[in-house]
Amino acid sequence: MSLSRRQFLGWIGAAGTTAAAGSKATAATTHHFQGYPDAMAVLHDTTFCIGCRRCEGACNAVNELPAPEKPFTDLSVLENRRRTTSKAYTVVNQKPGNGSGPMFVKNQCNHCLEPACASVCFVKALTKSKEGAVVYDASVCVGCRYCMVACPFEIPTYEYDSAFSPRIMKCTMCHPRALEGKLPGCVDSCPTEALVFGKRDDLLKIARRRITRRTERYVDHIYGEREMGGTSWLYLSGVPFETIGMRMDLGVTPAPELTAGALGAVPMVVGLWPVLLTGIYAMSKRKEKIAAEEKALAVAEALTEADERAAAKLDATMEKAEQEKTAAVEKAVKEILTAEAKARAETEAAAAQDPQATGGNEKDA
Amino acid sequence: MSDKTATTGQPIFSPFNIVAGFILLVGGIITILRFTQGLDAVTNLSDDNPWGIWIGFDLLVGVALAAGGFVTSATVYIFGMKQYHAAVRPAILTGFLGYALVVLALHYDVGRPWRLPYPFIMQRGTTSLLFEVAACVALYLTVLFIEFSPAALEWLGLKRARDIVIKLTILLTIFGVVLSTLHQSSLGALFLIAPSKLHPLWYTPYLPIYFFVTAVIAGLSMVIFESSLSHRFFSHKMDAVHLAGKDTVPLGFGKAAALVLAGYFIIKVIGISAGNTWHYLATGYGAWYLVELFGFVALPAFLYAVGVRDKNITLIRWTAALTVVGIVVNRFNICLVAFNWHLPAGERYFPHWMEIGISVFIVTLGVVVYRFIVTRMPVLYEHPYDDVP
């Protein structure tokens, strides 16, 4: 039952009519998602990080990623800024500190509470698990790479070198290990407690306590508490976060809200456009109809007028013809009469000369 | 009538055939490389730059330039401007080919193209604007196919089937406008998710509206542009109505384009005001933004207006070409130039020559198929059925 209903809704969705109906991304509500209760998170206190790269090595091992060109013990790679790749879910970067030696900061998926990557995935290959991790299902991924475009932290990577089964590659917060009750590989391997795994709520309390207790050690900000609506990785730093390469201009708006307005407009367009267009069509049709009627009327009027004019003309012609005829008849009569009169006159004249002949003529007539 | 002119008097090794054949051959080789060696072998795509010109040009520009179909059919059938009727079929054909080629290009770009139906049949990611784009493009491609089918059915002599489709004209047109509104705007809305990556001058909540309005501009301009090319190369295939309409379309569509461009200029300025991004205009990106705004929006609006006032068809046609270039510039700016503007120069994207090769290959394919169809089917002339709407 539920499957068929879901399927039905899905087909409706596919038809584009309720593309946004099932969406959690609703704008202009007072609702604020604080993350799943008891979801796990990691606190990265960068002031404790010594740049040993053991987390990178552990990550590589537990995720069975290919061996890097240089071993994880080679710290020279820290000299250049690195980003995550399809062969490294996490990288440690070295930044100039505040006089007391360099700073190190670990970079990996921040596992947003409302992830941009998951909200833009059109096949739901990326989802936020209730345990806290943003997990990826390669079995449905089409490879559009919109998640990579969307991620404000520039984390997801792609296996561009694979022709037949390329995958999005990114940190899983060791979700499979967490389900077994184990620590994430990186946290497990950290020798300095720069990484702490725990419930997000607890970690926020710990972070806040550290900042209040040692104000000289920390800047007064927990990175990830509110950035992009909050993330499951939280950071503490002794220097402004920009200086260790973390963007402070991302804002606190959860990513799905950025597109909620556009998605919300979809059903409105679907609902109103046909009405508007049919209205315009009806108007243009009506205009055409009126024009046609007016034309027909004008034609009819013109015809009537022409008829009348023709009739009048005919009448006039007839009358004229009649008159002409009458005139012609009269003329003919007149001519005949004249001719007769003339003939009579001649006859009379002839009779006057020859009365006998005249008598003979009268007999012939 | 139809086959004679297509075959007689045109040698197989005409310059067009040689150039097109060469491009198709190179494209074929790159295609084999792409599908056997993966994206890495033929593209400069990277983890920082997941979208290149196959999205920026083939998808974004392709869909915008294929807007002529919905713009023309709406003008004629919904707004009732019958004087442009002769422009409908060529516009629907180019629209259909445009969308078909967009879908073809996507097969190159996505990692596992055989999974393209997955968003519909496996799991529906309805919170994604890309889902909306995919659904609308798939549906609209179908609509365009049906809208174009009368020409093919007339060619095949299937009058009864063709008459049924003709009866659906208004329904299909309205459906086409709804779908076009949705996916044209959604292509712009794709970038709403990344305010931290797109330059503030180009990033605005109005992006979907801008994309829709520019699609209308692109549609109008492409119809003028294509009709001038058709009159030049296929005038022997045109009937008297079509030949007589040589100036009607540029004058009418040019006037419409001038107005829409002027409106677009205004909402662009409103966008800068609303985002209060004036100070960025003084930077290098700002200079380039002003080039786009004045060189490819204000200038064509002005030139169209002058061309229509003076009835200068040549000017209108060149302006149409300029406007089309402007659309390319706009889409490239949003997808490639102003995207990832915060990254150091060394991490920015520039297309591999083979990426350009595939884009040229796909455009050439479109021209060849268009040529094949208009020399055979009743596109530029009306079939002697008396009840063509």
Side-chain angles (χ1 to χ4, degrees):
Chain A
M1 169 71 196
S2 74
L3 182 74
S4 69
R5 190 185 63 139
R6 193 190 301 172
Q7 219 145 26
F8 172 74
L9 287 174
W11 282 111
I12 300 281
T17 44
T18 59
S23 139
K24 266 182 269 174
T26 320
T29 63
T30 50
H31 172 75
H32 174 53
F33 182 66
Q34 302 267 18
Y36 291 105
D38 295 338
M40 304 306 276
V42 178
L43 174 63
H44 177 28
D45 190 333
T46 62
T47 63
F48 287 121
C49 185
I50 54 168
C52 65
R53 296 187 69 209
R54 280 193 206 172
C55 51
E56 288 187 38
C59 176
N60 179 277
V62 302
N63 289 299
E64 293 163 3
L65 296 171
E69 282 174 31
K70 292 178 183 173
F72 289 107
T73 48
D74 183 350
L75 299 185
S76 66
V77 298
L78 293 172
E79 283 157 20
N80 296 316
R81 193 188 85 91
R82 292 179 300 152
R83 62 152 291 155
T84 54
T85 69
S86 58
K87 296 173 180 66
Y89 291 168
T90 185
V91 289
V92 175
N93 277 311
Q94 180 180 321
K95 300 283 172 184
N98 51 0
S100 58
M103 302 283 300
F104 300 96
V105 59
K106 181 181 175 303
N107 176 238
Q108 75 299 302
C109 176
N110 284 323
H111 299 274
C112 304
L113 300 184
E114 297 181 68
C117 58
S119 89
V120 301
C121 183
F122 70 159
V123 67
K124 285 187 183 161
L126 287 155
T127 42
K128 176 77 174 174
S129 72
K130 63 182 192 304
E131 294 82 17
V134 177
V135 290
Y136 169 68
D137 177 4
S139 72
V140 292
C141 178
V142 181
C144 70
R145 309 186 297 283
Y146 192 15
C147 49
M148 298 166 70
V149 168
C151 178
F153 303 108
E154 293 161 13
I155 292 304
T157 65
Y158 200 60
E159 293 181 311
Y160 289 105
D161 49 356
S162 168
F164 302 107
S165 55
R167 290 169 298 172
I168 290 288
M169 302 295 273
K170 75 163 196 70
C171 159
T172 63
M173 211 159 101
C174 284
H175 189 243
R177 283 170 63 91
L179 293 179
E180 293 170 16
K182 293 183 193 160
L183 286 174
C186 53
V187 178
D188 204 17
S189 68
C190 184
T192 67
E193 292 191 20
L195 300 173
V196 184
F197 185 74
K199 287 179 187 168
R200 187 172 186 267
D201 294 339
D202 297 342
L203 293 180
L204 278 171
K205 281 177 201 146
I206 293 172
R208 242 175 246 128
R209 207 155 51 221
R210 285 190 189 175
I211 292 172
T212 10
R213 282 192 183 164
R214 302 195 58 186
T215 47
E216 80 292 347
R217 186 181 174 96
Y218 296 105
V219 293
D220 189 10
H221 185 77
I222 307 170
Y223 195 97
E225 185 183 12
R226 298 182 67 217
E227 273 73 18
M228 294 302 292
T231 63
S232 296
W233 271 68
L234 304 165
Y235 299 79
L236 288 175
S237 172
V239 293
F241 280 96
E242 293 98 329
T243 58
I244 54 169
M246 301 182 72
R247 294 185 65 169
M248 291 296 286
D249 60 347
L250 297 179
V252 297
T253 310
E257 275 180 27
L258 295 167
T259 53
L263 279 171
V266 172
M268 293 298 110
V269 171
V270 172
L272 283 179
W273 242 220
V275 177
L276 181 72
L277 295 171
T278 312
I280 295 172
Y281 171 67
M283 280 195 280
S284 73
K285 261 283 173 216
R286 192 177 139 73
K287 240 164 89 182
E288 255 171 53
K289 200 181 151 201
I290 290 175
E293 277 172 3
E294 279 175 354
K295 198 176 158 192
L297 197 68
V299 167
E301 271 175 11
L303 276 178
T304 323
E305 207 177 305
D307 276 349
E308 279 169 5
R309 215 180 296 145
K313 201 176 169 188
L314 190 66
D315 283 351
T317 318
M318 291 286 273
E319 205 171 313
K320 202 178 165 192
E322 196 77 13
Q323 281 171 358
E324 274 168 13
K325 201 173 152 193
T326 321
V329 170
E330 275 172 6
K331 195 181 166 194
V333 170
K334 211 174 173 181
E335 268 170 18
I336 292 167
L337 288 176
T338 322
E340 226 162 80
K342 202 178 168 187
R344 198 175 293 146
E346 273 171 16
T347 323
E348 278 169 10
Q353 286 170 355
D354 184 5
Q356 269 185 340
T358 311
N361 268 358
E362 270 172 337
K363 262 174 212 163
D364 289 345
Chain B
M1 168 158 189
S2 45
D3 279 311
K4 247 183 269 169
T5 34
T7 47
T8 52
Q10 284 185 9
I12 294 171
F13 291 104
S14 65
F16 175 87
N17 286 0
I18 292 170
V19 173
F22 176 73
I23 293 171
L24 295 184
L25 180 73
V26 174
I29 294 167
I30 304 173
T31 302
I32 294 169
L33 274 177
R34 154 69 187 92
F35 289 108
T36 55
Q37 307 297 307
L39 285 163
D40 227 11
V42 295
T43 72
N44 277 347
L45 297 174
S46 65
D47 292 330
D48 282 318
N49 302 288
W51 285 355
I53 59 163
W54 289 351
I55 295 295
F57 182 78
D58 299 17
L59 174 66
L60 298 184
V61 174
V63 168
L65 297 189
F70 96 87
V71 170
T72 313
S73 56
T75 303
V76 173
Y77 296 129
I78 296 179
F79 297 103
M81 301 182 185
K82 299 269 164 72
Q83 65 269 39
Y84 307 118
H85 186 261
V88 172
R89 274 203 182 166
I92 295 279
L93 174 60
T94 41
F96 172 65
L97 290 179
Y99 277 87
L101 294 173
V102 164
V103 173
L104 176 68
L106 285 178
H107 283 77
Y108 285 81
D109 186 74
V110 303
R112 305 198 205 193
W114 54 92
R115 286 183 175 179
L116 275 171
Y118 274 25
F120 309 117
I121 58 172
M122 297 296 279
Q123 299 182 112
R124 286 155 292 275
T126 49
T127 55
S128 173
L129 281 152
L130 198 59
F131 180 84
E132 196 202 320
V133 170
C136 289
V137 167
L139 284 171
Y140 188 48
L141 185 61
T142 316
V143 168
L144 280 169
F145 176 75
I146 301 171
E147 280 189 301
F148 179 69
S149 65
L153 294 170
E154 284 165 16
W155 182 53
L156 296 168
L158 301 171
K159 187 172 187 305
R160 186 169 294 175
R162 173 243 179 228
D163 288 347
I164 294 169
V165 181
I166 291 289
K167 286 202 179 70
L168 297 172
T169 301
I170 292 300
L171 192 69
L172 288 171
T173 305
I174 291 178
F175 204 35
V177 176
V178 170
L179 292 170
S180 294
T181 310
L182 291 178
H183 71 258
Q184 293 284 4
S185 58
S186 294
L187 284 175
L190 287 180
F191 294 91
L192 289 179
I193 199 75
S196 57
K197 294 184 181 175
L198 185 57
H199 191 282
L201 278 172
W202 281 274
Y203 185 91
T204 149
Y206 300 129
L207 265 178
I209 295 168
Y210 289 173
F211 265 58
F212 176 67
V213 175
T214 44
V216 173
I217 295 165
L220 293 167
S221 302
M222 274 307 273
V223 171
I224 299 172
F225 184 63
E226 285 158 4
S227 88
S228 70
L229 291 183
S230 289
H231 276 282
R232 182 141 174 209
F233 296 110
F234 299 116
S235 57
H236 58 284
K237 299 301 300 178
M238 292 180 177
D239 60 10
V241 180
H242 219 109
L243 287 170
K246 197 179 172 188
D247 293 351
T248 323
V249 168
L251 285 174
F253 279 42
K255 188 192 270 182
L259 284 167
V260 183
L261 274 164
Y264 178 56
F265 181 86
I266 293 168
I267 60 172
K268 283 284 261 193
V269 176
I270 290 174
I272 302 174
S273 304
N276 199 14
T277 46
W278 296 103
H279 58 287
Y280 286 105
L281 291 177
T283 64
Y285 275 100
W288 180 233
Y289 186 86
L290 291 174
V291 169
E292 185 194 321
L293 186 61
F294 285 97
F296 295 106
V297 180
L299 181 64
F302 175 73
L303 293 180
Y304 266 134
V306 170
V308 171
R309 188 194 62 181
D310 300 346
K311 298 208 174 1
N312 184 343
I313 304 296
T314 316
L315 178 60
I316 294 176
R317 284 182 177 158
W318 280 108
T319 309
L322 173 69
T323 313
V324 169
V325 174
I327 299 296
V328 179
V329 169
N330 174 255
R331 298 303 194 259
F332 271 30
N333 278 346
I334 287 162
C335 186
L336 306 171
V337 178
F339 193 81
N340 275 341
W341 68 292
H342 60 291
L343 290 183
E347 290 167 28
R348 298 298 303 275
Y349 163 84
F350 192 84
H352 193 281
W353 73 265
M354 287 201 265
E355 289 180 79
I356 301 171
I358 286 297
S359 292
V360 173
F361 164 73
I362 285 174
V363 170
T364 309
L365 205 59
V367 174
V368 169
V369 176
Y370 183 85
R371 193 162 168 259
F372 176 88
I373 292 177
V374 295
T375 48
R376 282 164 181 81
M377 299 184 193
V379 174
L380 300 175
Y381 59 93
E382 237 157 63
H383 198 271
Y385 289 150
D386 47 3
D387 55 345
V388 173

